[in-house]
Amino acid sequence: MGKYIVHSKLRPAGTQMMNTTGGFSYLADEPLIAKGTDAAPNPVQYLLGAVGSCLGVTAREIENDEATLTIKKFQADVTGETTTFQDGSSKVTSISIKITAETSLSEADHKWFLNEVVRKCTVHETLVGAVPMEITFA
């Protein structure tokens, strides 16, 4: 689709970062226990939200292309686990995704739809191989 640019600037309050992109601004922060001000989601929460949001956007894009598909419900619950290592570094070590969806499709076509959503989701495909992910369909 193209090139994306996000400008992130450290603010004078705790660990607050102001991000700007495409005319939008959003804050990222850390909780008080991590010396942040707890004024916004932390970067890992944004990462998990990006996965869930991308799945939803992808579902809608597929719906827009399929005349017989109507999405009645689409929800992605994304859970991430982090590990902190002895040297102080940390990383997301696993992601679990539970997709709950109701559509106008037959059972077989509904299964195809869910698999297409996962296959076409840019953020999911970017993370495949980098972070173990478990996906379940409810």
Side-chain angles (χ1 to χ4, degrees):
M1 188 147 134
K3 184 177 184 179
Y4 298 90
I5 300 171
V6 178
H7 300 282
S8 302
K9 184 177 179 181
L10 184 63
R11 297 181 71 197
T15 59
Q16 290 182 13
M17 292 293 296
M18 181 54 68
N19 302 282
T20 56
T21 184
F24 299 100
S25 296
Y26 59 95
L27 191 63
D29 198 2
E30 288 287 342
L32 296 173
I33 194 165
K35 298 189 169 107
T37 62
D38 206 19
N42 71 30
V44 173
Q45 290 167 317
Y46 275 116
L47 174 69
L48 300 176
V51 174
S53 297
C54 188
L55 289 164
V57 166
T58 304
R60 184 67 77 207
E61 289 172 348
I62 293 169
E63 179 187 40
N64 290 340
D65 290 341
E66 298 291 330
T68 61
L69 170 60
T70 301
I71 297 173
K72 299 174 185 176
K73 176 182 180 179
F74 189 93
Q75 179 175 323
D77 296 307
V78 185
T79 303
E81 301 260 342
T82 61
T83 299
T84 302
F85 302 102
Q86 278 189 327
D87 66 0
S89 66
S90 64
K91 71 182 243 178
V92 176
T93 50
S94 69
I95 295 176
S96 297
I97 304 164
K98 178 183 168 189
I99 298 174
T100 305
E102 295 174 17
T103 67
S104 59
L105 300 173
S106 68
E107 188 174 332
D109 287 342
H110 181 76
K111 186 174 183 177
W112 166 85
F113 163 71
L114 293 173
N115 286 313
E116 278 296 283
V117 168
V118 172
R119 185 182 75 79
K120 290 184 173 182
C121 174
T122 303
V123 176
H124 170 269
E125 287 300 298
T126 301
L127 296 174
V128 166
V131 181
M133 284 185 272
E134 176 188 5
I135 301 173
T136 58
F137 303 118

